[in-house]
Amino acid sequence: MRLALAEAERAARSGDVPVGAVVLDQGGELLAVGHNERELTGDPTAHAEVLAIRRAAERLGGWRLTDCTLVVTLEPCTMCAGAVVQSRVDRVVYGARDEKAGAAGSLWDVLRDRRLNHRPEVITGVLAEACAQQLTTFFRDR
């Protein structure tokens, strides 16, 4: 999670909401990183999770991220939860809950929806205070 927090800080420096994500392989080795780049690129889909998933798939040479873990500072939104399901990520670890747009248990629970063909393990609250504080500071300063 500390790597994801560092990625989130990179997003904040470029004017984006500070969300960072990393993808780890089965052995815990770093495959890819991402941070929000919507403001930087003008791309509404440039969320940290989507970028990290894309980069991990490119590194692995295929779209299936089976046996991988996505670690992200903020609970994934519906778009990012959909990307997790579609990429077959095995585990999602997130820090701060997102009561307004979270799709991993807060507002929706896309990741554990039994109607879908893939349901990753979800671990919540890892370094939640640090993750939430980073977001609070960013929005307070704006």
Side-chain angles (χ1 to χ4, degrees), residues 26-46:
Q26 187 175 19
E29 294 297 316
L30 182 65
L31 290 175
V33 300
H35 59 271
N36 277 357
E37 295 182 14
R38 292 184 309 170
E39 298 297 332
L40 183 67
T41 64
D43 178 356
T45 69

Side-chain angles (χ1 to χ4, degrees), residues 21-24 49 52-53 68-72 76 84 89 91-93:
V22 299
V23 177
L24 308 171
E49 302 95 310
I53 287 169
C68 291
T69 299
L70 172 70
V71 180
V72 60
V84 166
V89 167
R91 180 178 305 106
V92 175
V93 177

Side-chain angles (χ1 to χ4, degrees), residues 102-135:
S106 291
L107 190 56
W108 295 287
D109 202 351
V110 172
L111 297 181
R112 289 176 268 213
D113 191 322
R114 295 217 173 267
R115 296 170 293 181
L116 298 175
N117 64 332
H118 179 73
R119 290 177 302 281
E121 176 185 8
V122 178
I123 300 169
T124 67
V126 176
L127 294 179
E129 285 186 36
C131 294
Q133 185 60 50
Q134 194 174 47
L135 289 158

